[in-house]
Amino acid sequence: MVTTEECIKKTDEQLVFLTLKNQEYYLCLMKRYENKLLNYILKISNLNKEDAEDILQEVFIKVYQNLNDYDPNLKFSSWIYRITHNTTISIFRKKNVQPQSVSWDNEELINILESTYNVEKDTIRQLTYEQILSIINRLPLKYKEILILKFIENKDYKEISDILHKPLGTIATLINRAKKSLKQELFKEGIKL
Amino acid sequence: MKNISEQVLKRIKKDNIRPKPRWYFLTKNYFIWSMFGISVILGSFAFSMILFIIKQLDWDIYHYLGDSFLKTVFISLPYLWLIFLILFIGVAYYNFIHTKRGYRFKFISILLISLVISVTLGSVLYSNGFSENLGNIFFEKIPYYNRLVYTCEKQWMQPERDLLAGTIMEIELPENNFILKDLNNNKWKIRANKAIWKGKLTPTPGLKIKLIGKLMDDNTFEATEIRPWQGQGQFIKGKNW
């Protein structure tokens, strides 16, 4: 049995190496990413929590089966987010899910607007939780996911490029377009930035 | 919240799930790179054929055909090989973006990389005579190939438009009139006493030539200009081209 202390000291890359020799170490990796990935799935998919947990299980199985494909020159987090992204989008599209209002908490929604436009929190707080959620969910998936990765998951451009498998230049363009799109939606709600 | 991580580990143990072996991913990766390489090489074959077809045509005779230069270009472009080139570049692009780092490159960069390799390699193949041999193989072995490309043969076998090509059979001295077997094996009496022989040609039986002139009747042609079969008859580096 692998102890929690053993896990904490190890990097992701070391844990991948150890998991290939002893599957017990995989528990450390999964626990490290469980909450982050579940939140990410919920935000990009609008699935309910039970479905999101099922996806996460599929993600962990896929990651385990493909551990030998992991390239240590990449960040492990980018690689696991990539698999999560692909699995979620694939299931999300198959199920053709309608938006549900369960995936975001109020502070996260405010943070995404605040960090995107450097506006005062007070300005954003004029909007209700439902209004902000409706604004975010009205955005096309490609804009929504890039805003989530940049402003909620705090990934840098290179990590986003590795997760979405797009060139760095395209990532910059997408972020700008997502901001513009968000701005238009805010304008419709009567907020001028 | 369910304890997902522990559930997954139990499932891995229960179903005896194992990581796919390293060789599986290496093989997949090598396969993708090989497909990219093969596509680029096939693209270079296509480009060498485009060069060969374009270079073997005489672009200065469009006025004999009564067409504008643009129309001649439009008729003469090797569309079949252009389609193949685009197809192979497309397959090369598809494989490149599926390599491990392929996604980091922009669409236009990958397209240019594939095109530059195909063009460079294709030019080398053309200069080594590869495309000429390949063209001959296609003519002999592939049915209807000659209908799909506009060749030098098609361009010059138009006696009704004052263009003819073939091999000299007999020479009648002193006027240098001769009997010509055209590319369709028909015999022609050629009046060549006023003809300009380009490229320092010496009229001899067996010589393959191209003629510009005037159709007199069903088997008589008056030549005004005679060129060697290959090239336009300019004298370059001691060779008749």
Side-chain angles (χ1 to χ4, degrees):
Chain A
M1 190 74 182
V2 179
T3 62
T4 315
E5 280 177 8
E6 269 183 280
C7 291
I8 292 168
K9 288 175 192 167
K10 304 274 189 283
T11 64
D12 289 350
E13 289 72 21
Q14 285 170 328
L15 285 172
V16 170
F17 183 72
L18 290 167
T19 301
L20 286 167
K21 292 181 172 175
N22 175 4
Q23 61 187 189
E24 296 291 335
Y25 279 98
Y26 192 45
L27 195 61
C28 309
L29 269 176
M30 288 191 285
K31 282 200 181 290
R32 200 171 276 183
Y33 283 95
E34 195 176 290
N35 289 334
K36 286 182 197 170
L37 294 181
L38 188 65
N39 279 328
Y40 179 61
I41 294 167
L42 284 166
K43 284 183 183 62
I44 61 168
S45 69
N46 295 315
L47 288 165
N48 62 45
K49 201 172 176 187
E50 286 70 34
D51 284 343
E53 284 176 346
D54 288 345
I55 292 179
L56 185 58
Q57 287 203 26
E58 287 308 308
V59 168
F60 281 149
I61 296 286
K62 270 190 192 174
V63 168
Y64 183 71
Q65 287 177 317
N66 290 286
L67 273 182
N68 272 315
D69 194 32
Y70 168 62
D71 175 359
N73 295 317
L74 281 183
K75 270 191 169 181
F76 179 78
S77 71
S78 301
W79 187 68
I80 201 169
Y81 265 86
R82 170 75 190 156
I83 294 174
T84 309
H85 172 264
N86 281 353
T87 312
T88 309
I89 298 298
S90 161
I91 293 171
F92 175 60
R93 283 188 180 144
K94 266 187 218 160
K95 290 193 171 181
N96 195 19
V97 186
Q98 295 303 309
Q100 293 178 30
S101 311
V102 292
S103 322
W104 303 77
D105 69 45
N106 206 18
E107 275 309 305
E108 278 179 335
L109 287 170
I110 290 170
N111 280 346
I112 205 169
L113 295 180
E114 189 194 28
S115 44
T116 310
Y117 292 107
N118 298 322
V119 287
E120 296 295 324
K121 273 195 178 165
D122 289 346
T123 313
I124 301 164
R125 284 190 200 281
Q126 295 166 12
L127 296 165
T128 63
Y129 173 81
E130 283 72 24
Q131 275 177 307
I132 303 174
L133 188 65
S134 148
I135 290 166
I136 301 283
N137 280 333
R138 279 206 299 266
L139 295 176
L141 179 64
K142 62 179 177 179
Y143 294 156
K144 196 166 88 170
E145 67 184 1
I146 209 152
L147 289 177
I148 292 165
L149 287 169
K150 181 82 182 85
F151 300 109
I152 302 290
E153 303 293 331
N154 293 316
K155 302 286 181 194
D156 62 31
Y157 277 38
K158 192 180 167 299
E159 285 174 296
I160 299 174
S161 158
D162 291 334
I163 294 166
L164 299 180
H165 270 204
K166 290 186 192 307
L168 282 172
T170 308
I171 297 299
T173 309
L174 271 175
I175 289 175
N176 281 332
R177 286 184 189 161
K179 281 180 173 181
K180 269 185 194 168
S181 186
L182 185 58
K183 197 172 183 177
Q184 282 170 358
E185 293 300 332
L186 285 167
F187 187 75
K188 284 180 197 165
E189 296 291 331
I191 299 284
K192 288 180 186 174
L193 301 168
Chain B
M1 186 173 137
K2 289 189 272 184
N3 196 331
I4 298 169
S5 302
E6 276 165 18
Q7 279 181 13
V8 170
L9 191 62
K10 270 185 196 164
R11 194 174 142 195
I12 286 171
K13 286 177 180 172
K14 187 174 150 261
D15 298 345
N16 198 22
I17 297 168
R18 298 246 170 267
K20 289 177 195 163
R22 195 163 181 74
W23 63 260
Y24 169 84
F25 297 104
L26 285 174
T27 309
K28 194 175 149 194
N29 204 25
Y30 287 139
F31 177 77
I32 293 170
W33 275 112
S34 306
M35 289 304 289
F36 170 74
I38 290 168
S39 310
V40 167
I41 289 169
L42 290 175
S44 71
F45 286 4
F47 185 77
S48 77
M49 287 306 295
I50 290 170
L51 264 186
F52 172 64
I53 292 168
I54 289 176
K55 294 276 269 185
Q56 69 161 357
L57 293 174
D58 291 70
W59 295 95
D60 62 327
I61 58 161
Y62 62 92
H63 48 274
Y64 290 101
L65 301 167
D67 297 329
S68 67
F69 182 70
L70 272 179
K71 192 179 173 189
T72 308
V73 170
F74 186 72
I75 292 168
S76 318
L77 280 176
Y79 293 103
L80 178 74
W81 290 106
L82 277 170
I83 290 168
F84 276 128
L85 178 65
I86 293 166
L87 185 78
F88 292 133
I89 295 290
V91 176
Y93 169 79
Y94 178 83
N95 283 291
F96 191 91
I97 52 161
H98 285 90
T99 59
K100 283 206 162 194
R101 299 276 190 280
Y103 64 88
R104 290 187 179 173
F105 293 82
K106 283 185 176 175
F107 170 76
I108 194 76
S109 312
I110 302 173
L111 216 60
L112 281 176
I113 290 168
S114 311
L115 196 64
V116 165
I117 300 173
S118 285
V119 165
T120 312
L121 202 58
S123 306
V124 173
L125 290 172
Y126 168 76
S127 61
N128 288 339
F130 171 85
S131 42
E132 191 176 349
N133 294 334
L134 190 67
N136 291 337
I137 291 169
F138 272 97
F139 264 108
E140 286 164 18
K141 308 277 182 194
I142 310 288
Y144 306 113
Y145 175 75
N146 59 346
R147 289 189 195 175
L148 296 171
V149 288
Y150 188 76
T151 57
C152 191
E153 285 83 355
K154 272 189 193 169
Q155 188 183 33
W156 283 91
M157 275 307 294
Q158 303 187 74
E160 71 288 350
R161 299 175 100 171
D162 302 331
L163 300 170
L164 189 63
T167 309
I168 297 174
M169 305 289 292
E170 294 168 36
I171 297 170
E172 296 167 5
L173 295 171
E175 280 115 339
N176 275 347
N177 293 335
F178 54 87
I179 307 292
L180 181 100
K181 188 168 81 177
D182 75 13
L183 300 176
N184 298 329
N185 289 324
N186 301 314
K187 282 190 179 175
W188 292 84
K189 285 179 194 169
I190 307 294
R191 291 189 205 156
N193 51 333
K194 291 176 190 165
I196 300 163
W197 290 74
K198 288 258 182 125
K200 296 191 175 178
L201 280 179
T202 310
T204 42
L207 185 69
K208 200 172 176 183
I209 51 172
K210 300 180 288 201
L211 303 96
I212 301 169
K214 198 173 180 190
L215 179 70
M216 306 306 287
D217 59 45
D218 283 352
N219 63 352
T220 311
F221 190 90
E222 187 172 300
T224 52
E225 185 181 319
I226 298 171
R227 299 176 176 190
W229 174 246
Q230 291 199 322
Q232 296 167 22
Q234 286 106 352
F235 191 76
I236 302 167
K237 288 183 184 173
K239 283 186 177 177
N240 286 330
W241 290 108

